Amino acid sequence: MAATKIIDAPRNGHEMAPLNTRARGDGTHGVTIVLTAPQRNSVQSVDIPGNEPERAAWSGKMQFFLSIIGYSVGLGNIWRFPYLCQQNGGGAFLIPFMIMLVLEGIPLFLIELGIGQRMRLGALGVWNTIHPWLGGIGISSCIVTLFVALYYNVIITWVFFYLFNSFRYPLPWSTCPLNGTGFELEECAKSSETTYFWYRTTLDAAPSMDEPGGLKWWIVLCLLLSWTIVFFIVMKGIQSSGKVVYFTSLFPYIVLTIFFIRGITLRGAGAGLMHMYTPKVEKLLEPTVWLDAATQVFYSFGLAFGSLIAFGSYNTPKNNCVRDVLLVSVCNAVTAIYASVVIFAILGFKATVNVDRCVASNTDILVRNKLLASNDTEGYEQAMSLLNGTELTRLQLSECSLAHELDNAAEGTGLAFIVFTQAIVELPGAPFWAVLFFTMLLSLGLGSQIGILEGMLCTLFDIDIIKRVKKQHVTGVVCLFCFIVGFIFCTGAGEYWLKMFDSFAGTIGLVVVALMEMIAVIFIYGHERFTEDIYQMTGYRPGIYWQWTWRYIGPVIMVCILISSVVFMVIKNPTYGAWNADLMIEQKSYPNWVMGIALSMILAGVLPMPIVFLMRSFQCLKVDLDIHQGSIRRNETTASTKEMIDNDDDVSADPCSNRMIRLSIQSRFELSLYHSLCS
């Protein structure tokens, strides 16, 4: 016999899916209370086959796996992890990184992926379903995700600009431009070719955030291109983005392998790798090293954005999410280490070339001052050792140290657009390597941006009013809004704004959301119930490792990250590096009005949680209650109860008055939820 359901029309593939039935353990099944979106439009009870409502789904296991790999393996694996290794004890940093991966990253990863697959809802629907008072978690997650999406696409914009310039020969950042007299521009000569191209040619950097200058038309056009491409990728949800991930997820590994083969054959590659991975065990005694490891694990997985919940909701109910979590975690960690090997092999080559140039320059000075014979290359070290500091300064001799060159490692945009581009210039066939490198960055950036937007859009479609609109239209409005707001990154102060967003918009808010997610699932939904859900979906019952990390270790680590983030933000005066033609990089404090915006973003990402909690606990929004009161679905009834239900009251008309539903309540959670909805 066909099942009776309540449906709304029209459907666009993003409807909220009900919970599946839960076995009692005695071979019988009760009627399941299903909490879905409010049905404010006209509804009708119709007979349709099957038990599952329409919802977008992955076309195959490979599409899901590549999507989640493309999302979690992002730019941070390329330009953040190698820097942290180099700064925090080299190979010794892998110890706290792996420990935090096991104790923090993997458990929270399974919570998000598992709860999304279990409930088949986006972030807003999941937390509303667990308890109405927790609905603010989904709102906070969506707001923080919006902030991150705004500036993350700007990085893709800069990559596009460099990619287009990579097709020129010679590369435009390989030489300094000349002035009218035929000499190099002083601003370029004082810094370097790649630094000048980044700050002056690409950004046309302003002296401070108070003097941003006008819009840079070339950046605006690249930003428009970035958002246009992102729109066409995500406009139909996973039906469109799922096809793109085959490129965005696999291509970076192909490029990394090409760079790896080329890198290890370069002169100085071994020195770079030895410098990076030589363990400095004493560093492990510093608390900041462990904090950096925990923070890197948290952000490298893309936790708390709502994207993992959305990805999990598109899975089939019987998908083995535990296996997926372990595979993705291993892949993420291996990718970070693999990328570090590639980066420092090539940086070792760059450092060796720079040292050779430095020695050649010093040798020329010594020969001109008759301190060294013209052909006596072996006497260079002895001649340098005989000079004191005053003579070195007078002769303008430089320190030629390989360790010093390698210590000047950079992270973020400095690594990608300044340091690594200088290394590419030294390679034969430099344009080819530049095109490969920036295409790889483009793939990594797009893969993460697809996941970020998918999480935000899935959350929006948990709202009844929005889910009636075609996803193409909603996606277009979101992308247009982000493009317009992104104009602040297209001024001369664009990089300064991006650093501010990166420092404040996605830090405290995400950590608070992640902490509340663990509390919501483990202590409110119940760790025993979630364990049973995992068992019903995968056939594997999480043991003591999962229980301890979910209930104790994970929350403690998240609290430590939160407290340390707040403390560092308060005691350390936030600054940004402004470009100065004379002083090069000048550290400046953020203006008060900018700090006001930063504080507003932090509050916008955190306040929805207590606001929703208070308003719903005191029932300030009476109309809001129907968000959690949806269709009641009959599932897997026994022969003895089927006739009773069929002849009973219409469960879809008034769930609160139906006695069969009252009899089927199976836990204190369902009882409290029933009273909150029907009192």
Side-chain angles (χ1 to χ4, degrees):
M1 179 177 179
T4 301
K5 295 183 183 179
I6 291 181
I7 62 172
D8 60 349
R11 288 183 178 270
N12 55 16
H14 300 278
E15 284 67 32
M16 303 173 68
L19 301 177
N20 297 319
T21 57
R22 181 161 59 96
R24 289 179 177 175
D26 57 359
T28 63
H29 295 73
V31 177
T32 300
I33 297 180
V34 178
L35 306 175
T36 61
Q39 310 293 337
R40 295 189 180 90
N41 55 330
S42 60
V43 297
Q44 58 184 13
S45 180
V46 298
D47 289 339
I48 58 176
N51 284 326
E52 291 298 332
E54 297 176 15
R55 184 171 180 82
W58 303 108
S59 63
K61 187 67 176 180
M62 181 60 69
Q63 188 184 75
F64 161 72
F65 189 74
L66 291 180
S67 295
I68 207 165
I69 285 292
Y71 167 67
S72 60
V73 177
L75 295 172
N77 296 76
I78 302 296
W79 67 25
R80 176 68 176 166
F81 183 79
Y83 172 81
L84 290 177
C85 277
Q86 191 256 354
Q87 294 292 314
N88 292 312
F93 181 72
L94 297 179
I95 296 175
F97 177 76
M98 291 299 177
I99 291 176
M100 291 301 171
L101 179 70
V102 172
L103 298 182
E104 171 206 1
I106 295 178
L108 186 53
F109 196 175
L110 181 58
I111 285 179
E112 293 201 4
L113 205 62
I115 202 69
Q117 179 175 313
R118 177 69 178 91
M119 296 189 175
R120 307 203 73 199
L121 298 171
L124 184 60
V126 162
W127 308 120
N128 276 330
T129 301
I130 289 179
H131 199 288
W133 294 356
L134 301 176
I137 299 177
I139 299 174
S140 292
S141 175
C142 186
I143 292 174
V144 175
T145 302
L146 173 63
F147 291 149
V148 175
L150 282 172
Y151 76 82
Y152 204 89
N153 219 39
V154 177
I155 300 174
I156 299 176
T157 298
W158 295 336
V159 171
F160 266 123
F161 183 78
Y162 267 77
L163 178 61
F164 295 148
N165 280 278
S166 297
F167 290 96
R168 297 166 58 184
Y169 184 81
L171 291 174
W173 57 81
S174 61
T175 57
C176 283
L178 304 178
N179 55 25
T181 60
F183 292 98
E184 293 181 347
L185 290 176
E186 183 181 2
E187 185 177 3
C188 181
K190 285 184 176 181
S191 53
S192 68
E193 298 87 347
T194 54
T195 304
Y196 177 86
F197 186 85
W198 169 242
Y199 282 106
R200 185 55 60 210
T201 306
T202 304
L203 302 178
D204 192 16
S208 70
M209 298 185 76
D210 290 317
E211 308 170 67
L215 294 174
K216 313 305 175 185
W217 62 268
W218 56 94
I219 300 296
V220 173
L221 290 180
C222 289
L223 182 65
L224 176 61
L225 175 64
S226 300
W227 278 113
T228 302
I229 291 176
V230 169
F231 165 73
F232 281 110
I233 291 175
V234 302
M235 67 177 183
K236 293 183 179 179
I238 61 173
Q239 284 81 8
S240 56
S241 64
K243 299 177 177 63
V244 179
V245 296
Y246 286 93
F247 173 78
T248 59
S249 300
L250 295 177
F251 184 75
Y253 289 97
I254 297 174
V255 176
L256 278 176
T257 302
I258 295 173
F259 269 105
F260 173 75
I261 296 173
R262 184 69 181 99
I264 60 176
T265 61
L266 294 171
R267 183 169 51 93
L273 295 177
M274 287 295 295
H275 178 81
M276 176 182 175
Y277 283 113
T278 299
K280 304 177 183 65
V281 183
E282 65 277 4
K283 280 278 189 178
L284 299 182
L285 299 177
E286 300 178 11
T288 54
V289 173
W290 293 84
L291 178 63
D292 282 343
T295 306
Q296 173 64 17
V297 168
F298 178 79
Y299 290 113
S300 66
F301 275 111
L303 300 170
F305 284 98
S307 303
L308 296 176
I309 296 176
F311 285 159
S313 71
Y314 300 137
N315 276 325
T316 59
K318 293 298 182 180
N319 175 66
N320 193 336
C321 54
V322 177
R323 180 185 58 195
D324 294 337
V325 166
L326 296 178
L327 286 176
V328 173
S329 301
V330 171
C331 186
N332 196 328
V334 170
T335 302
I337 298 172
Y338 186 37
S340 301
V341 171
V342 174
I343 294 296
F344 268 85
I346 295 179
L347 291 184
F349 163 71
K350 180 188 79 76
T352 302
V353 171
N354 287 346
V355 168
D356 289 346
R357 286 178 177 170
C358 177
V359 170
S361 175
N362 286 351
T363 300
D364 184 61
I365 295 175
L366 292 173
V367 169
R368 282 191 279 109
N369 287 273
K370 301 184 186 305
L371 297 174
L372 183 68
S374 58
N375 296 323
D376 188 10
T377 56
E378 296 181 358
Y380 169 79
E381 293 293 340
Q382 182 179 1
M384 290 291 294
S385 63
L386 296 175
L387 301 176
N388 56 36
T390 305
E391 292 173 320
L392 291 173
T393 304
R394 179 179 62 82
L395 296 173
Q396 296 182 337
L397 293 171
S398 304
E399 179 186 359
C400 303
S401 168
L402 186 62
H404 176 72
E405 288 286 340
L406 290 170
D407 281 336
N408 289 332
E411 64 172 323
T413 55
L415 174 62
F417 299 116
I418 298 177
V419 176
F420 207 81
T421 50
Q422 183 181 352
I424 289 175
V425 169
E426 307 296 339
L427 295 172
F432 169 76
W433 298 105
V435 170
L436 271 185
F437 178 69
F438 289 111
T439 306
M440 178 187 69
L441 292 187
L442 180 63
S443 302
L444 290 169
L446 286 175
S448 297
Q449 184 74 344
I450 290 170
I452 290 171
L453 278 182
E454 188 59 46
M456 181 171 64
L457 292 171
C458 187
T459 301
L460 292 177
F461 273 94
D462 282 351
I463 303 173
D464 184 61
I465 297 177
I466 295 180
K467 75 176 181 179
R468 302 180 192 180
V469 184
K470 287 186 176 180
K471 186 160 189 176
Q472 294 92 321
H473 299 162
V474 176
T475 305
V477 171
V478 170
C479 291
L480 179 62
F481 171 79
C482 291
F483 169 67
I484 295 173
V485 176
F487 282 172
I488 63 173
F489 302 107
C490 299
T491 64
E495 193 201 21
Y496 313 151
W497 279 106
L498 186 138
K499 188 177 186 305
M500 190 275 283
F501 268 71
D502 189 45
S503 300
F504 297 100
T507 51
I508 293 179
L510 282 178
V511 177
V512 173
V513 169
L515 178 61
M516 292 304 301
E517 285 180 355
M518 298 194 82
I519 294 174
V521 173
I522 303 306
F523 298 104
I524 299 178
Y525 185 75
H527 68 92
E528 294 180 351
R529 187 175 186 181
F530 185 63
T531 299
E532 181 66 21
D533 289 342
I534 297 296
Y535 176 71
Q536 293 293 335
M537 291 188 294
T538 67
Y540 166 77
R541 189 178 300 276
I544 189 171
Y545 156 71
W546 298 100
Q547 303 300 330
W548 275 80
T549 52
W550 283 339
R551 298 167 64 185
Y552 308 112
I553 302 175
V556 169
I557 293 175
M558 298 309 301
V559 169
C560 291
I561 295 176
L562 178 61
I563 293 176
S564 60
S565 298
V566 174
V567 169
F568 285 146
M569 196 172 291
V570 171
I571 65 176
K572 186 178 179 181
N573 183 33
T575 60
Y576 65 98
W579 177 251
N580 186 306
D582 297 321
L583 303 175
M584 301 302 102
I585 304 299
E586 181 182 4
Q587 293 298 321
K588 293 186 176 182
S589 299
Y590 286 106
N592 291 333
W593 62 275
V594 173
M595 290 303 299
I597 295 176
L599 180 60
S600 300
M601 289 192 299
I602 294 174
L603 294 178
V606 174
L607 286 183
M609 289 179 278
I611 289 176
V612 171
F613 171 80
L614 292 174
M615 297 187 75
R616 287 180 175 171
S617 61
F618 291 102
Q619 297 187 358
C620 298
L621 291 178
K622 292 285 186 180
V623 71
D624 187 58
L625 285 177
D626 68 347
I627 289 179
H628 324 290
Q629 179 177 333
S631 61
I632 306 299
R633 190 172 60 143
R634 310 171 201 165
N635 282 318
E636 303 180 51
T637 56
T638 63
S640 60
T641 60
K642 188 175 188 304
E643 184 177 356
M644 294 171 58
I645 297 178
D646 287 339
N647 295 329
D648 202 1
D649 299 331
D650 183 2
V651 293
S652 62
D654 187 7
C656 294
S657 63
N658 189 273
R659 64 184 175 87
M660 285 304 301
I661 292 176
R662 293 195 297 271
L663 291 173
S664 69
I665 292 176
Q666 302 174 20
S667 69
R668 286 180 296 174
F669 165 75
E670 291 176 353
L671 181 63
S672 63
L673 186 57
Y674 175 84
H675 285 308
S676 69
L677 296 178
C678 301
S679 59

